Amino acid sequence: LFECVCNRNGELLVQGVLRFVLHHDADFLRAFCRWIGRSQECTGVREDVREGVKGDIRFHDLVLDFADGSSCRIELKFHAGFTHLQRKYPKLIDLLIVPEDRLPEATRIVSKERTKTWEEFREKLLSMSGFAQDLLNDFYEYAMKGDAHAREKLTETLRNGVNGEIDAID
């Protein structure tokens, strides 16, 4: 987990935690894939970072690779605006997850069919895994609010080992 969240905050922090949970909880990964409309077996979850002329460039927040050779490029948004490249090449985003109140802005860039909300994510997916629920609820609150209370809850969750489940993970 530390490797996924080290030196991150806000949206990047949630991205790292989501990648960690998808990588370490097979049931949650299958539920997530069904939620995004993919029935194939997911063979990998990665962040799409490439080396550029001026340092590393982040292309997509997460990429899910599937057994049939296809992939799903996912963009996660909370407060950050869309980059110039995201506005110019929206077809490079297979799935966009945004807060519900950003749907009007988001669907001007990415079609409604390729857009889901964090509220729907919490409602339909987090109950699938106590592990995901414990970790992602606190990180979600932190990303959305960034307030001291959310930070304290997150610290307490990590200190308690997410109900002892972190110790059981390789």
Side-chain angles (χ1 to χ4, degrees):
L1 177 61
F2 182 75
E3 181 183 305
C4 292
V5 301
C6 184
N7 297 319
R8 294 180 179 216
N9 56 44
E11 292 180 13
L12 286 176
L13 184 62
V14 174
Q15 173 184 323
V17 173
L18 180 57
R19 179 173 61 97
F20 177 83
V21 172
L22 289 168
H23 184 74
H24 287 91
D25 187 329
D27 292 335
F28 185 76
L29 175 61
R30 281 189 291 279
F32 184 86
C33 289
R34 282 191 307 273
W35 182 65
I36 66 172
R38 303 300 290 261
S39 58
Q40 305 90 351
E41 176 190 355
C42 182
T43 58
V45 178
R46 59 189 165 87
E47 293 176 300
D48 192 8
V49 179
R50 302 178 191 178
E51 198 172 307
V53 176
K54 296 181 180 180
D56 289 345
I57 300 170
R58 215 169 38 89
F59 276 65
H60 303 95
D61 292 331
L62 294 176
V63 177
L64 275 61
D65 296 311
F66 296 93
D68 67 357
S70 67
S71 62
C72 181
R73 302 164 297 188
I74 302 170
E75 182 63 33
L76 310 172
K77 289 288 183 196
F78 283 97
H79 302 293
F82 289 90
T83 68
H84 170 71
L85 289 175
Q86 289 167 342
R87 290 179 184 282
K88 189 172 180 179
Y89 303 106
K91 292 190 187 253
L92 294 178
I93 300 171
D94 297 320
L95 176 69
L96 173 64
I97 305 175
V98 297
E100 199 167 81
D101 64 352
R102 289 192 70 187
L103 267 177
E105 170 196 11
T107 55
R108 285 193 299 272
I109 296 167
V110 175
S111 72
K112 186 173 174 83
E113 297 76 33
R114 296 186 349 245
T115 306
K116 296 206 175 267
T117 69
W118 284 110
E119 291 79 1
E120 180 185 1
F121 171 87
R122 288 179 81 188
E123 178 184 316
K124 294 186 176 179
L125 287 179
L126 288 189
S127 63
M128 300 292 189
S129 164
F131 176 65
Q133 192 169 24
D134 285 343
L135 270 179
L136 289 167
N137 258 335
D138 289 344
F139 279 104
Y140 173 85
E141 290 296 322
Y142 173 71
M144 286 300 287
K145 299 176 183 173
D147 63 14
H149 177 68
R151 193 173 298 115
E152 286 171 20
K153 275 182 56 183
L154 172 59
T155 302
E156 182 180 331
T157 296
L158 291 174
R159 193 174 292 127
N160 293 335
V162 191
N163 298 325
E165 294 185 46
I166 287 180
D167 292 336
I169 294 174
D170 305 323

